[in-house]
Amino acid sequence: MTAEQVTADVFLPATYARGVPYARFRELRENSPVCRIGEPAVGPWPPGPGFWAVFRHADVKHVLRSPETFSSHLGATQLRDPDTEADLRFVRATMLNQDPPGHSRLRRIVAASLTPRAVRELEDVIDSRARALVGGLAARGEADLVALTADLPVRTLAHVLGVPQEDGALLYDWANRIIGYQDTDYALSDTAAPEGLTSMGREALARRPAPRTRPDGRPVNPRSREALADMFHYAHALAERPAPGSVMAAAREAGLTRDEFEMMFFLFAVAGSETVRNALPGGMLTLLDHPSQFALLRRQPGLIAPAVEEMLRHWPPVVHFRRTAARDTELGGQRIRRGEKVAVFHPSANRDERVFPDPDRFDVTRSPNDHVSFGYGPHFCMGAHLARAQMRALLRAVLERLPGLERAGEAVRLTSNFQNGLKHLPVRW
């Protein structure tokens, strides 16, 4: 058995359905901080060539801040290689898959919609929605916390993109299909009922492609224009009448190319909700599993801000991001050749003993808290301020309206080696 076969468990989606392998990460940080990981076949998806995995905090930061050596553009940022050259060219149009200066140009276009000042102007709306969401369920006594928390980021995202609130279910489905394609419960997500949508939404829904496979039997790439025909039809319809001040209005005014515009909508429609959809229930589960910390937070609600940072450190919403070596280099004592894949593992970096004292301890007073859950360097998450505002708002609403919140059953995790998510978390109060 090769070393790559031994470490392939770090790649397999089934591993994360059981839980993030923190003990394995600890072992690799200590003994193999940069090492080769195998990419065996997963269901209908063929095997890949393998990749270099990076586990220590300092090395993760080095990769993320060095686009001249570790490129987001060469092979894009998803671990699985695009199926065709056409697919690769398509996904390269998004700023997530570009390096400076192209990345910088696209980032500037939408930056004004997501500055700390812009987010502060939204905070009252976010707080009101969070209180209404939690208050509307307070009398029920029980709920699925994942379903409860999913509504807030979808509504917030619709506001930022200028999407009518009636079409929020489309945003939910698109994010599920793209991010959760490795999980059968999410891969064919279809919750949007035509009668509840705007005419623009109904037209897009009519173009939703049926599940298809290529002539060679492989599934259609879930991140391709072919698989997302309904989403891109909606994006172009929205561009005809963008809401003033929205991200898509800024994109339209900047004169983006067709591919750039489509991929801008793609990026925000997915990343704009999934980060919070993963971090909120995951962070709440962490609080529920640490009752003394939850009790401390109830006594001292002024700790909400550092508690959110610790929730993010303990439950990073994204497991890894890929880069591609733009030139021969060395990292962690390993020679990495140009063109080879390199993946940084956020959960491992967030538990690095060299940075975080007693890293497995959940501590809502932890300071400093230099987690990398929102990335680092030029690709630091543009929506970080917005995500934090939503997490703080929901946590305040829970503390105010659900004083006896506790688990009412087992949490069910998402099967994904990319997103650190939950599908169900039954709770009662």
Side-chain angles (χ1 to χ4, degrees):
M1 184 177 291
T2 68
E4 288 192 25
Q5 289 172 320
V6 171
T7 54
D9 59 313
V10 171
F11 166 77
L12 292 172
T15 297
Y16 299 88
R18 298 188 295 269
V20 176
Y22 283 110
R24 189 81 171 106
F25 287 160
R26 186 187 314 115
E27 174 190 345
L28 290 166
R29 275 196 309 274
E30 189 61 33
N31 302 315
S32 304
V34 178
C35 67
R36 290 290 297 177
I37 302 290
E39 284 184 81
V42 177
W45 306 102
F51 58 94
W52 291 100
V54 183
F55 296 106
R56 287 183 181 172
H57 188 274
D59 291 337
V60 165
K61 278 194 163 185
H62 174 69
V63 169
L64 294 179
R65 69 170 174 253
S66 307
E68 68 284 354
T69 302
F70 300 101
S71 169
S72 298
H73 186 66
L74 285 178
T77 52
Q78 293 298 303
L79 199 49
R80 193 173 69 82
D81 291 324
D83 291 340
T84 66
E85 282 298 318
D87 285 344
L88 177 57
R89 288 193 300 271
F90 175 62
V91 298
R92 277 175 168 173
T94 180
M95 65 180 177
L96 184 66
N97 296 328
Q98 294 200 16
D99 301 320
H103 166 265
S104 306
R105 177 182 70 89
L106 292 172
R107 191 177 178 101
R108 283 194 298 271
I109 290 170
V110 297
S113 302
L114 295 169
T115 62
R117 177 179 178 180
V119 172
R120 282 195 297 273
E121 293 175 355
L122 278 175
E123 283 186 347
D124 287 345
V125 174
I126 292 171
D127 282 338
S128 177
R129 285 177 178 156
R131 287 193 299 270
L133 180 65
V134 174
L137 293 175
R140 285 177 45 182
E142 60 182 9
D144 182 340
L145 194 60
V146 174
L148 170 66
T149 57
D151 190 66
L152 180 61
V154 167
R155 288 182 176 275
T156 303
L157 175 63
H159 181 96
V160 171
L161 287 176
V163 170
Q165 293 292 327
E166 301 96 309
D167 292 339
L170 289 172
L171 294 172
Y172 178 84
D173 285 341
W174 291 327
N176 282 354
R177 286 161 52 198
I178 296 165
I179 294 299
Y181 75 92
Q182 296 171 328
D183 191 301
T184 54
D185 289 340
Y186 276 25
L188 303 178
S189 185
D190 188 14
T191 65
E195 56 272 15
L197 303 175
T198 65
S199 59
M200 185 167 59
R202 290 193 296 273
E203 290 174 7
L205 191 62
R207 288 167 170 78
R208 176 165 292 179
R212 284 180 289 174
T213 58
R214 298 187 182 277
D216 61 5
R218 293 166 62 183
V220 172
N221 186 338
R223 295 180 174 88
S224 65
R225 180 180 281 124
E226 183 180 10
L228 296 170
D230 54 330
M231 186 175 81
F232 294 130
H233 178 84
Y234 189 94
H236 287 292
L238 186 67
E240 295 301 317
R241 44 183 183 275
S246 69
V247 165
M248 300 319 293
R252 173 68 184 273
E253 292 164 6
L256 300 185
T257 67
R258 177 174 181 257
D259 284 356
E260 287 175 338
F261 183 84
E262 289 179 348
M263 295 308 289
M264 186 72 76
F265 189 84
F266 173 106
L267 175 61
F268 278 90
V270 178
S273 67
E274 282 306 291
T275 297
V276 182
R277 278 182 58 188
N278 291 338
L280 267 172
M284 291 302 303
L285 174 61
T286 306
L287 273 174
L288 291 170
D289 286 346
H290 294 81
S292 63
Q293 292 296 297
F294 207 172
L296 174 60
L297 191 57
R298 292 185 189 283
R299 294 194 302 271
Q300 301 184 43
L303 292 173
I304 283 178
V308 164
E309 297 307 310
E310 183 70 343
M311 291 160 71
L312 285 163
R313 184 189 75 87
H314 223 74
W315 191 288
V318 174
V319 175
H320 68 258
F321 261 117
R322 169 199 173 162
R323 298 293 187 265
T324 302
R327 58 192 180 197
D328 291 353
T329 188
E330 183 173 321
L331 184 67
Q334 300 286 355
R335 290 292 301 169
I336 299 174
R337 297 188 181 279
R338 184 184 188 281
E340 291 184 322
K341 291 191 282 189
V342 179
V344 297
F345 280 78
H346 302 273
S348 178
N350 282 355
R351 302 284 182 103
D352 192 335
E353 301 82 355
R354 296 156 191 79
V355 177
F356 303 99
D358 196 5
D360 293 328
R361 177 171 54 88
F362 180 71
D363 179 4
V364 298
T365 68
R366 185 181 293 272
S367 181
N369 196 335
D370 190 22
H371 66 76
V372 292
S373 293
F374 289 123
Y376 189 72
H379 280 278
F380 181 81
C381 178
M382 290 186 66
H385 298 301
L386 190 61
R388 287 175 165 127
Q390 292 177 83
M391 292 183 71
R392 292 193 300 265
L394 192 90
L395 190 49
R396 276 193 295 268
V398 166
L399 292 173
E400 292 170 3
R401 302 301 302 272
L402 308 179
L405 187 70
E406 62 181 7
R407 289 178 63 168
E410 290 299 314
V412 180
R413 294 184 58 92
L414 179 69
T415 300
S416 173
N417 62 9
F418 177 50
Q419 293 284 303
N420 183 22
L422 291 175
K423 296 192 293 186
H424 300 289
L425 176 57
V427 295
R428 59 180 171 239
W429 53 88

